[in-house]
Amino acid sequence: QAAVLAWLARLTGAENYLEIGVFTGYSSTAVALALPEHGRLTACDINAAYTEYAREAWQEAGVAHKISLHLQPAIFTLDELLAAGRADSYDLAFIDADKAPTPHYYERCLRLVRPGGIIAIDNLLLGGRVYQENAEPAPESIERIRAFNQSLQTDSRVAALTLPLGDGLTLLRKRHPEETPCA
């Protein structure tokens, strides 16, 4: 997935990248390497211990100067970015954090990513459980992700594609306001 994100960054000429959920910095390092020297990466996470590994990886890769790490709940950072006038300023965003607030991250990313930009969301297949029909009721988290996945397919603001890569990588291209959805 990191290779796909880096490829997308290069393909689209991304200069501003937003990552929600850094963990140990694998994908952020890959994308930072793909960004031009003047490119900027905004990283959101709440775990100082794991992101310390990310900081080390960024230093080793020589990309730490491109990265701004925000250690607080991502919703706070996203709201701060919007309040600071950063709407439509990101070329690419990656959501790979706790699943419950994913719809909230998505809505904010839609405002932060420019028209024609891409939002990538990881783990939307949940090990295939979102598509398994069980006799027992599915846990609320799976139902929530199942409903979110369904909503993406009918969201006229984006063109959606889910790849069976890892645990499912959904790519969403934000449509231009004058663009009409294809049938």
Side-chain angles (χ1 to χ4, degrees):
Q1 289 178 341
V4 169
L5 291 169
W7 183 82
L8 285 170
R10 285 188 184 98
L11 177 72
T12 62
E15 296 181 0
N16 291 297
Y17 171 74
L18 174 62
E19 183 165 287
I20 302 165
V22 174
F23 193 44
T24 59
Y26 189 79
S27 57
S28 55
T29 302
V31 173
L33 286 166
L35 293 175
E37 187 56 32
H38 65 275
R40 293 293 170 254
L41 191 156
T42 304
C44 306
D45 207 296
I46 57 171
N47 191 312
Y50 286 129
T51 56
E52 190 54 39
Y53 293 108
R55 287 180 195 266
E56 291 172 16
W58 301 335
Q59 283 293 337
E60 241 178 79
V63 296
H65 65 283
K66 296 180 184 181
I67 301 170
S68 171
L69 175 62
H70 300 261
L71 278 173
Q72 64 179 359
I75 291 293
F76 295 162
T77 301
L78 300 175
D79 287 343
E80 288 170 0
L81 292 169
L82 288 165
R86 297 293 308 270
D88 294 332
S89 69
Y90 287 91
D91 304 300
L92 179 61
F94 181 44
I95 302 170
D96 187 16
D98 48 330
K99 296 304 158 224
T102 294
H104 302 289
Y105 299 149
Y106 168 69
E107 287 300 326
R108 285 162 175 83
C109 283
L110 267 176
R111 294 173 57 201
L112 290 162
V113 169
R114 66 171 172 77
I118 296 170
I119 301 169
I121 308 175
D122 194 18
N123 304 114
L124 289 186
L125 295 179
L126 295 176
R129 293 174 293 172
V130 294
Y131 294 112
Q132 291 173 351
E133 304 253 347
N134 297 333
E136 303 172 24
E140 185 180 336
S141 60
I142 291 175
E143 286 299 329
R144 221 179 284 141
I145 293 299
R146 189 178 287 154
F148 178 66
N149 284 344
Q150 186 61 40
S151 74
L152 293 176
Q153 300 309 312
T154 58
D155 190 335
S156 63
R157 301 171 295 175
V158 295
L161 170 69
T162 298
L163 300 174
L165 182 64
D167 194 19
L169 180 65
T170 297
L171 302 175
L172 305 146
R173 187 182 56 79
K174 182 178 173 180
R175 289 191 165 104
H176 291 272
E178 67 280 356
E179 187 178 343
T180 55
C182 298

